[in-house]
Amino acid sequence: MASPPGAEVCKRSGRCSGRSASGSPLPDRTGHLAAEPADPARVSSRQRQRLRLVALVYSAVMAENLVPNLFLELYFVLQLLTARRMVATGDSHPDPGPGAPDSVGSPLFRNVHDCVFFAVQVLERQLQVLSYLDKGTLKLLAENERLLCFSPALQSRLRAAYEGSVAKVSLAMPHSAQAVSFQPETDNRANFSSDRAFHTFKKQRDVFYEVLREWEDHHEEPGWDFEKGLGSRIRAMMGQLSAACSHSHFVRLFQKQLLQMCQDPGGAAGVVLGEAPDVLSMLGADKLGRLRRLQERLLAPQSSGGPCPPPTFPGCQGFFRDFILSASSFQFNQHLMDSLSLKIQELNGLTLPQPEPSEDEGESDVDWQVRQNGGERRQFAVVMLSLRLLAKFLGFVAFLPYRGPEPPPTRELQDSILALRSQVPPVLDVRALLQQGLQARRAVLTVPWLVEFLSLADHIVPLLDYYRSIFGLLLHLHRSLVLSEESEGGMCFLNKLLLLAVLGWLFQIPTVPEDLFFLEEGQADGLEVDIEASGRGLDSVPVVDQHLLYTCCPYIGELRKLLASWVSGSSGRSGGFVRKITPTTTTGLGARLPQTIQGLQAQLAQAFFHNQPPSLRRTVEFVAERIGSNCVKHIKATLVADLVCQAESLLQEQLVSPGQKEGDPAQLLESLCSQLCPHGAQALSQAREFCQKKSPGAVRALLPEETPAAVLSSAENIAVGLATEKACTWLSANITALIRREVKAAVSRALRVQGPEPAARGERRGCSRASSLAVCAAISPLPQPQPQPQHDSSSLCSCPHQDVLALAAGPRDPEEGVSPEHVEQLLGQLSQMLQCRQYLCPPAEQHLAKCSVELASLLVADQVPVLGPPAQHQLERGQARRFLNMLLSLWKDDFQVPVPLQLLLSPRNMGLLAATRPRQWDLLLFLLRELVEQGLMGRAQIEACLGSLREAQWPEDISKELATLFSLFLAEPHIPEPQLRARELVQPNRGTVLAQS
Amino acid sequence: MILTKAQYEEIAQCLVSVPPTRQSLRKLKQRFPSQSQATLLSIFSQEYQKHIKRTHAKHHTSEAIETYYQRYLSGVVKDGAAPVLLELANEMDYAPSLMARIILERFLQEHEETPPSKSVINSMLRDPSQIPDGVLANQVYQCIVNDCCYGPLVDCIKHAIGHEHEVLLRDLLLEKNLSFLDEDQLRAKGYDKTPDFILQVPVAVEGHIIHWIESKASFGDECSHHAYLHDQFWSYWNRSLPLQATYDTITTSKYPSPSSLLS
């Protein structure tokens, strides 16, 4: 490890510890040097006294928050603890002999032993803070052999703290890009001013995600550049956002996607790694956890930029930052700031659930409250992390025009810039929000996001009056957060620690003047708010846990890395630290299907909620939470109360039975409990029953009446599942303790009163012994995975028709043709399909109608190429007539769309007839007559068609024949017996009436 | 039905510069008797469309159009009843319906004062009887009925198949008791992009969660899947979660998400 970060820390902390005069030896931490062993015996007694005194003062300064950044000081102390050896700088200082008097100017740390001695002295006084660090850091500290060597007492206290700690912190930032779902209430056409705006936005949404996906795929590739890869596409897209309202729509999408992707989803058990979820789910929860830790070890950057890194945009945040930069659209930025400001105010003002003042004895269960707080904490974390993210981007956009790579302006320039800037109103009145937050004792929510906002300010901002006063308030707050003061109703320890960490970080950011912390003393008086106001605020609720602390302040993790690098450097003695990674395989895990299905169920539930309005999820979770809670209360009121009754009567029996009177109360309790506790097993089945019974009704009552049945039933099932899970988890962990405590209370009551009334014995419900303690069975709220549907594609469509028409139109191969059976089959199929109608849509029917008319024309013109002996290449006329009759009946009875019968007399189709040799008009005449007969076409209509047909240009002979046909058709009066007429016309008259040329 | 990639490629191999006629399809059927006519036609159609997309531009240069038109004119002067236009299309390796459109457009330009509107041309292609010139009407008609990949008839057939599959899919969903919203309901709700069906309660198929179903009722080859992915599927994803694309037949190669599975 190179020294710069360490050296930087030493320099910055130097002003507090009054150490490191030039020319004195400096502790060195470079890893490749073998660590010099540290020995407490080699610290002289005079030096001990001196170091102890300095450590005392140093610790007091830290305790009173007189240092800007507590964690920076801790980092410095741990650096001293893990210093490998001293290196001389400049002219080597002659080591004063043991007897030589110490001058004030002589270096404080003469050797490694001094460093370690001092570090341990300070650490002893910081035990309280240390014990709130994460478990991993505590373990490293507790196992540090130097610490053991210098202070076994501190080591044992740290070990105890480590063993008692539950603060396992995992910082793998899970992110899975899920698109913002389309919500009709905000996204449909009614929300847009015009069709064009709606469609533009539709396109933009697609471009936005295209850009996002491309970024996801490529941003880790070396040489890929955001601006080069996506810049022009983003600007083109922004260019289309002409209407102001489109901007607000796009900004909403942008902001939602930002929140969705960059926020720690807090306990989302699903996909974390960028791998196929099905493979991962095969691993099972335990191995998945290990895999996650492994991934963290492999992927987490070794150093996040020291204990005080400048603000960055890690992970997906980078996309959104670069998007804003590449878009470089004034309108977009303005709309974005408006939207972010609104959302920040909304979230900042959110009423977060306060701990309910104990309503009854039952609610005061410690475990129960912890569980409740778990949910509350999660809720707080989600709100707070969202706020930080939004505020960071608000700060980024708001100060974007003023921030640049250039160094801070010189004093001369400052005045004119200040005059300009001081009259610009702040983008969001953060001072008022801060004041409100302090007054309402919600600093733990307000300050972290305010810090994010301010961290992106430019050099001038801290000098502006408005922001100066904010810094004044923050300094005042910082000073007041004394960790050792714990008062009733005061701020919780971890809440304070979080605020100290974020404020400390802010005070060290390059854009904040270095001397601000030391100069602004007392400036806040004018603005002082009454922080001591009465009433419980969020500050006094334990909403912050280590996970949230490390998520907000990843740089605290540097302490752990420092200790870990010491361990890996001092190889050989590290024992269990550098663990071997055992390879595991996913093959052969196929048998663990149930787990996979459970995982799939969870994913399905997530997927289900994703597509529904957010209120559905809230409702289901709310119902599950309340029903789960009610269930526990109910079990307490019924099962546990019964057991207590039983206990009382058993006790009564034992007390009255001879020989037992002098029994030890503790023994008595034990025997009662061992009799009664097994009954607790029933709690689980009762809980399941309760949740099953109560949840659906509640969900139904709370969801809109119009909710589709399937959605409703899924929501109900999920609510039942969640409620059961909550209740059963708590019950299986706590039911025995609960029974024990209630029985104990009853016993001590009974013993005090000496004899409960016998009546209590009478009415108690018989409780059968639960046969086995069944684990909470997984219920499946959603339909099981469906098998693949199969169907026979029985497509009855117009392909065969096209074939026949194409064959007729030619060109055709010599062996090609249609059999009469085929035509018949085709017409039969057509009729069936028209009658069934299931697969018909109007355009298809229209086309079929047209095709059938074409077919009729072909039949009339005798143009259907028949398969068969070469001599007979034409359809027999009787058969043609039969087909025509079939078509007529189709047209009359089966088609429901208008049939374009006039096409029969179109010049083109008439041309077909004209082209045949010999020409035969009888079928056409027959068809026309039948059309009139069956009312499919009016006489007048046919006459009009024939009339216009005659106007077309025809060869002489055809014109003549047409005229004959026309007159023949006109001459025929309406005849009621078509059979007779047909015969008459076709047989004898054919040759005479119609020319055969 | 699932086809292996190798099978698919073997079929596609046979389709290199083959005219889109019923004769070609018959030969294909003889060559691959185990495949259904629908599968073969679907593959044929898609392969042919790819081919046309690649070559489309060169048939639309003004020189090409002029050459085609002159050849058509001299052809019909010789023999108006011969399949002049169809043979021209086959010779030029272009879809007969599209060739008919080129010639018709050129013809109308010459004979009308105003350049023909697209809707007029479409209407004439749908019903060639409206074409003022009888010979051209016959030629165009012949091209349209002999083209199994392009033209108003084929469009209608495709539309009908799509409709039919939607009906089948709806029946299946109803039969499986899956609650869904169909395209019309989605449109009424104001969705800007509408797949065939959105499942109100998602289901899992082979471990994939399915929210939407879009029936393509066509052959799902890689190329068209990518195209659909681009045009439609990502749009759905952008609005929600993965969907199920159903194809009549797909190749068994791996697709990018969204998962495409068999209906």
Side-chain angles (χ1 to χ4, degrees):
Chain A
M1 194 180 171
S3 56
E8 165 67 13
V9 170
C10 289
K11 197 185 84 214
R12 296 205 101 177
S13 316
R15 63 193 179 213
C16 313
S17 55
R19 174 192 43 87
S20 119
S22 75
S24 52
L26 283 175
D28 183 85
R29 306 196 52 266
T30 12
H32 59 264
L33 287 171
E36 198 180 307
D39 182 0
R42 291 184 60 188
V43 184
S44 67
S45 61
R46 189 178 273 277
Q47 188 65 1
R48 266 169 198 263
Q49 203 182 355
R50 196 169 161 225
L51 288 170
R52 221 177 252 139
L53 259 174
V54 176
L56 196 66
V57 174
Y58 183 47
S59 300
V61 167
M62 277 166 79
E64 289 296 321
N65 293 331
L66 294 169
V67 290
N69 189 332
L70 172 68
F71 288 97
L72 205 54
E73 303 306 326
L74 283 177
Y75 190 80
F76 164 63
V77 171
L78 291 185
Q79 279 186 317
L80 287 180
L81 179 70
T82 58
R84 294 190 185 273
R85 56 174 62 240
M86 300 298 271
V87 288
T89 57
D91 52 335
S92 155
H93 214 84
D95 198 10
D102 281 324
S103 66
V104 181
S106 74
L108 188 59
F109 304 122
R110 300 176 194 188
N111 47 43
V112 168
H113 318 294
D114 289 354
C115 292
V116 178
F117 182 82
F118 176 80
V120 172
Q121 286 289 314
V122 177
L123 290 178
E124 275 181 342
R125 291 178 174 83
Q126 296 296 331
L127 185 70
Q128 195 187 16
V129 176
L130 295 179
S131 61
Y132 276 94
L133 294 178
D134 76 312
K135 200 164 175 155
T137 313
L138 282 174
K139 185 179 165 74
L140 286 166
L141 264 178
E143 294 185 0
N144 185 295
E145 67 276 21
R146 278 186 170 174
L147 202 140
L148 175 65
C149 181
F150 277 74
S151 174
L154 176 62
Q155 193 271 343
S156 66
R157 280 153 81 192
L158 283 169
R159 178 160 291 281
Y162 160 68
E163 273 152 13
S165 169
V166 288
K168 274 195 183 172
V169 171
S170 147
L171 277 187
M173 271 290 266
H175 113 263
S176 53
Q178 256 192 1
V180 173
S181 77
F182 183 95
Q183 291 297 337
E185 303 89 73
T186 52
D187 296 346
N188 74 10
R189 167 69 183 87
N191 294 286
F192 291 83
S193 57
S194 66
D195 278 334
R196 229 190 104 211
F198 180 56
H199 287 291
T200 309
F201 181 63
K202 172 172 99 179
K203 272 187 235 144
Q204 255 140 14
R205 190 183 185 113
D206 292 336
V207 175
F208 176 64
Y209 283 109
E210 197 185 303
V211 166
L212 178 57
R213 270 190 297 274
E214 201 166 319
W215 175 83
E216 283 193 310
D217 292 344
H218 298 295
H219 74 280
E220 276 165 346
E221 288 170 12
W224 190 81
D225 180 61
F226 189 97
E227 172 55 37
K228 248 185 247 158
L230 304 170
S232 57
R233 228 179 311 161
I234 290 173
R235 276 186 295 278
M237 180 189 101
M238 297 312 285
Q240 291 170 341
L241 288 169
S242 47
C245 105
S246 312
H247 270 291
S248 65
H249 279 287
F250 181 74
V251 159
R252 199 186 50 241
L253 178 70
F254 185 86
Q255 186 179 305
K256 274 189 180 173
Q257 191 65 37
L258 172 72
L259 282 174
Q260 207 158 300
M261 276 176 79
C262 302
Q263 199 184 61
D264 179 1
V271 198
V272 176
L273 306 104
E275 275 304 319
D278 31 4
V279 176
L280 291 179
S281 58
M282 274 167 63
L283 288 171
D286 181 44
K287 287 205 172 132
L288 193 60
R290 279 197 223 163
L291 182 61
R292 211 169 276 159
R293 286 203 299 279
L294 176 62
Q295 186 199 25
E296 209 182 303
R297 267 168 70 181
L298 295 177
L299 292 187
Q302 271 307 300
S303 172
S304 61
C308 217
T312 51
F313 292 84
C316 306
Q317 293 180 18
F319 169 78
F320 293 92
R321 179 203 52 199
D322 292 343
F323 187 96
I324 293 169
L325 288 176
S326 279
S328 62
S329 155
F330 170 73
Q331 291 98 322
F332 173 61
N333 288 357
Q334 187 60 49
H335 280 272
L336 187 59
M337 284 193 287
D338 297 348
S339 175
L340 289 169
S341 302
L342 182 69
K343 189 79 189 169
I344 287 172
Q345 292 185 65
E346 189 188 307
L347 286 177
N348 188 54
L350 207 66
T351 328
L352 289 164
Q354 305 266 311
E356 297 161 45
S358 333
E359 7 177 302
D360 59 324
E361 203 191 349
E363 272 297 321
S364 66
D365 276 343
V366 181
D367 290 326
W368 184 243
Q369 265 196 359
V370 167
R371 207 173 75 80
Q372 295 277 62
N373 279 335
E376 213 166 76
R377 263 192 201 151
R378 214 169 47 234
Q379 197 179 5
F380 174 80
V382 168
V383 173
M384 201 255 258
L385 292 173
S386 305
L387 272 168
R388 278 168 55 94
L389 186 67
L390 296 169
K392 185 176 185 176
F393 273 87
L394 181 62
F396 176 69
V397 180
F399 300 120
L400 190 59
Y402 308 109
R403 218 177 24 236
E406 66 271 17
T410 55
R411 286 255 171 236
E412 298 81 71
L413 283 174
Q414 254 178 30
D415 287 343
S416 60
I417 297 176
L418 276 176
L420 259 177
R421 292 281 299 277
S422 57
Q423 40 98 37
V424 179
V427 58
L428 172 67
D429 192 358
V430 284
R431 184 169 64 185
L433 291 174
L434 174 62
Q435 281 164 339
Q436 286 162 18
L438 292 174
Q439 249 153 13
R441 304 172 65 74
R442 288 162 67 89
V444 70
L445 181 66
T446 305
V447 172
W449 70 254
L450 182 61
V451 165
E452 288 288 293
F453 174 75
L454 293 174
S455 74
L456 285 155
D458 56 282
H459 289 285
I460 295 296
V461 167
L463 308 176
L464 297 169
D465 283 344
Y466 178 84
Y467 289 103
R468 249 169 109 103
S469 62
I470 292 176
F471 276 99
L473 277 173
L474 291 178
L475 281 167
H476 188 75
L477 174 69
H478 182 264
R479 195 64 44 85
S480 72
L481 296 168
V482 179
L483 285 170
S484 54
E485 280 175 13
E486 279 192 86
S487 58
E488 183 65 27
M491 202 186 281
C492 298
F493 191 91
L494 273 167
N495 296 8
K496 276 189 202 169
L497 204 58
L498 172 71
L499 292 188
L500 281 178
V502 294
L503 287 171
W505 174 74
L506 178 67
F507 296 146
Q508 298 286 339
I509 279 178
T511 45
V512 178
E514 252 193 285
D515 49 4
L516 179 117
F517 183 81
F518 300 99
L519 295 181
E520 292 285 321
E521 194 85 56
Q523 291 264 334
D525 291 344
L527 282 157
E528 191 159 353
V529 290
D530 185 14
I531 300 179
E532 309 306 321
S534 61
R536 287 159 68 89
L538 206 52
D539 287 346
S540 57
V541 183
V543 281
V544 177
D545 59 8
Q546 277 89 350
H547 190 268
L548 186 59
L549 177 68
Y550 278 75
T551 307
C552 291
C553 316
Y555 33 86
I556 302 179
E558 290 294 312
L559 298 178
R560 181 173 166 179
K561 283 179 195 151
L562 191 62
L563 292 166
S565 73
W566 161 254
V567 171
S568 56
S570 62
S571 57
R573 281 176 295 166
S574 49
F577 275 104
V578 181
R579 287 215 191 88
K580 234 178 77 188
I581 296 163
T582 324
T584 183
T585 166
T586 56
T587 54
L589 289 170
R592 304 176 68 171
L593 199 65
Q595 221 159 16
T596 313
I597 284 183
Q598 267 179 17
L600 196 58
Q601 285 292 354
Q603 278 183 45
L604 272 172
Q606 291 296 321
F608 169 70
F609 283 131
H610 185 81
N611 260 8
Q612 300 294 338
S615 63
L616 181 84
R617 180 187 212 125
R618 284 202 301 273
T619 308
V620 168
E621 282 175 351
F622 173 73
V623 166
E625 177 67 42
R626 293 324 305 162
I627 299 284
S629 165
N630 293 348
C631 172
V632 171
K633 281 184 199 155
H634 179 73
I635 300 263
K636 248 183 195 167
T638 53
L639 180 73
V640 178
D642 282 350
L643 289 175
V644 169
C645 282
Q646 254 174 291
E648 280 167 346
S649 52
L650 278 171
L651 186 68
Q652 194 61 26
E653 282 163 20
Q654 290 196 351
L655 285 176
V656 292
S657 68
Q660 292 281 337
K661 214 150 195 164
E662 301 309 313
D664 177 19
Q667 247 176 7
L668 204 59
L669 181 68
E670 266 325 299
S671 82
L672 278 175
C673 285
S674 62
Q675 281 180 63
L676 294 173
C677 284
H679 291 280
Q682 295 166 47
L684 293 185
S685 57
Q686 285 186 17
R688 262 196 292 281
E689 201 182 312
F690 182 90
C691 295
Q692 188 77 50
K693 203 171 79 190
K694 296 284 184 184
S695 309
V699 171
R700 218 170 301 140
L702 291 174
L703 288 183
E705 281 293 304
E706 289 69 30
T707 310
V711 174
L712 187 65
S713 94
S714 294
E716 285 173 12
N717 288 334
I718 295 173
V720 169
L722 286 177
T724 313
E725 193 192 315
K726 273 173 198 265
C728 288
T729 311
W730 190 84
L731 284 172
S732 51
N734 298 305
I735 187 71
T736 310
L738 183 65
I739 294 173
R740 180 174 282 271
R741 204 185 56 204
E742 294 291 308
V743 169
K744 188 178 170 189
V747 167
S748 57
R749 214 163 40 233
L751 288 176
R752 255 202 318 276
V753 180
Q754 271 301 348
E757 59 272 53
R761 248 190 275 173
E763 282 178 83
R764 59 167 199 257
R765 221 173 54 193
C767 304
S768 63
R769 211 165 255 275
S771 54
S772 69
L773 191 136
V775 197
C776 172
I779 47 158
S780 50
L782 289 161
Q784 291 295 319
Q786 294 296 320
Q788 291 180 6
Q790 293 281 343
H791 77 82
D792 256 350
S793 176
S794 60
S795 160
L796 285 170
C797 49
S798 24
C799 292
H801 285 87
Q802 188 183 359
D803 275 356
V804 172
L805 297 179
L807 269 170
R812 51 182 170 264
D813 300 342
E815 78 281 9
E816 277 189 312
V818 211
S819 66
E821 293 73 36
H822 184 67
V823 177
E824 187 157 359
Q825 193 194 349
L826 200 62
L827 293 174
Q829 259 180 14
L830 187 57
S831 161
Q832 256 179 26
M833 183 177 62
L834 288 168
Q835 279 163 19
C836 157
R837 306 202 70 78
Q838 196 187 2
Y839 301 122
L840 265 185
C841 53
E845 197 177 350
Q846 276 159 13
H847 256 269
L848 284 170
K850 221 179 106 211
C851 289
S852 67
V853 176
E854 304 273 0
L855 184 60
S857 285
L858 289 171
L859 287 168
V860 164
D862 203 9
Q863 289 273 12
V864 179
V866 179
L867 271 181
Q872 186 214 338
H873 247 317
Q874 272 149 359
L875 210 55
E876 203 217 320
R877 316 229 19 107
Q879 204 146 32
R881 193 174 297 249
R882 211 158 56 77
F883 292 152
L884 285 178
N885 270 321
M886 284 174 86
L887 280 168
L888 281 164
S889 115
L890 279 177
W891 294 334
K892 186 158 187 276
D893 302 323
D894 297 334
F895 275 108
Q896 292 188 6
V897 295
V899 182
L901 291 166
Q902 69 284 353
L903 283 179
L904 284 170
L905 294 173
S906 72
R908 206 184 63 75
N909 281 326
M910 204 47 76
L912 286 177
L913 184 53
T916 36
R917 301 279 187 286
R919 261 199 295 281
Q920 306 197 349
W921 295 94
D922 58 329
L923 283 173
L924 179 63
L925 198 58
F926 162 75
L927 188 60
L928 294 179
R929 293 227 165 98
E930 284 301 310
L931 287 173
V932 177
E933 198 72 35
Q934 305 198 9
L936 286 162
M937 272 181 106
R939 277 187 85 84
Q941 208 185 343
I942 292 180
E943 278 162 26
C945 285
L946 285 171
S948 59
L949 201 54
R950 287 178 63 189
E951 285 161 25
Q953 303 252 313
W954 297 102
E956 188 73 8
D957 52 337
I958 295 174
S959 292
K960 250 189 228 160
E961 287 177 30
L962 266 176
T964 322
L965 177 78
F966 193 40
S967 57
L968 200 65
F969 179 76
L970 288 180
E972 293 295 331
H974 178 77
I975 304 294
E977 290 168 81
Q979 299 296 323
L980 179 77
R981 283 306 309 159
R983 210 180 308 130
E984 204 175 323
L985 177 89
V986 177
Q987 298 301 325
N989 294 358
R990 194 170 70 183
T992 51
V993 176
L994 294 171
Q996 292 187 357
S997 45
Chain B
M1 202 184 110
I2 296 180
L3 212 63
T4 66
K5 190 138 167 73
Q7 275 175 307
Y8 172 77
E9 264 157 16
E10 197 187 345
I11 297 173
Q13 204 58 49
C14 293
L15 290 169
V16 179
S17 74
V18 162
T21 58
R22 111 194 137 264
Q23 288 92 341
S24 312
L25 193 63
R26 198 175 54 225
K27 277 179 213 144
L28 200 62
K29 184 109 183 72
Q30 283 158 2
R31 174 97 167 65
F32 301 98
S34 58
Q35 302 299 337
S36 76
Q37 162 123 355
T39 303
L40 291 173
L41 179 59
S42 192
I43 296 175
F44 189 8
S45 176
Q46 273 169 25
E47 286 297 313
Y48 191 72
Q49 280 176 37
K50 274 189 246 168
H51 167 72
I52 290 297
K53 267 180 211 144
R54 278 195 302 271
T55 56
H56 176 262
K58 77 170 184 197
H59 299 290
H60 280 261
T61 59
S62 50
E63 297 83 31
I65 292 175
E66 209 44 49
T67 319
Y68 297 160
Y69 189 58
Q70 292 310 326
R71 286 209 34 195
Y72 161 75
L73 285 181
S74 60
V76 290
V77 163
K78 243 182 264 162
D79 179 7
V84 178
L85 203 48
L86 185 62
E87 276 166 6
L88 178 65
N90 290 342
E91 192 189 323
M92 292 298 142
D93 199 10
Y94 197 49
S97 297
L98 300 179
M99 182 61 87
R101 178 185 281 271
I102 292 178
I103 300 300
L104 177 62
E105 215 170 328
R106 179 68 186 77
F107 173 85
L108 292 174
Q109 263 169 24
E110 194 170 281
H111 290 81
E112 320 258 310
E113 312 82 66
T114 50
S117 74
K118 224 175 164 134
S119 66
V120 167
I121 292 186
N122 283 338
S123 150
M124 286 185 175
L125 287 173
R126 265 200 302 277
D127 178 10
S129 320
Q130 296 170 13
I131 297 173
D133 179 89
V135 176
L136 182 58
N138 276 332
Q139 295 282 344
V140 167
Y141 179 77
Q142 197 173 41
C143 282
I144 287 167
V145 292
N146 274 298
D147 190 334
C148 66
C149 293
Y150 279 95
L153 263 176
V154 175
D155 288 347
C156 177
I157 292 170
K158 283 183 183 165
H159 182 90
I161 295 176
H163 178 77
E164 178 187 316
H165 281 249
E166 257 181 73
V167 173
L168 285 171
L169 196 52
R170 174 193 306 271
D171 289 352
L172 265 175
L173 290 175
L174 287 172
E175 185 192 309
K176 301 282 180 202
N177 217 3
L178 296 177
S179 171
F180 59 85
L181 295 174
D182 65 19
E183 239 176 313
D184 295 333
Q185 287 166 301
L186 290 174
R187 211 168 285 126
K189 280 195 163 202
Y191 275 73
D192 55 356
K193 289 261 185 173
T194 52
D196 287 341
F197 299 100
I198 175 169
L199 298 180
Q200 285 183 314
V201 179
V203 295
V205 179
E206 291 183 349
H208 298 273
I209 290 175
I210 309 300
H211 279 257
W212 309 74
I213 302 179
E214 171 79 22
S215 163
K216 296 311 329 166
S218 61
F219 186 83
D221 68 1
E222 263 176 294
C223 168
S224 60
H225 184 75
H226 278 290
Y228 282 130
L229 205 55
H230 189 264
D231 297 341
Q232 275 186 299
F233 300 160
W234 280 126
S235 293
Y236 302 149
W237 187 91
N238 296 347
R239 283 148 184 84
S240 189
L241 275 184
L243 82 158
Q244 164 107 342
T246 73
Y247 293 101
D248 257 12
T249 313
I250 61 169
T251 53
T252 45
S253 58
K254 283 280 169 212
Y255 287 124
S257 66
S259 57
S260 1
L261 294 162
L262 178 71
S263 74

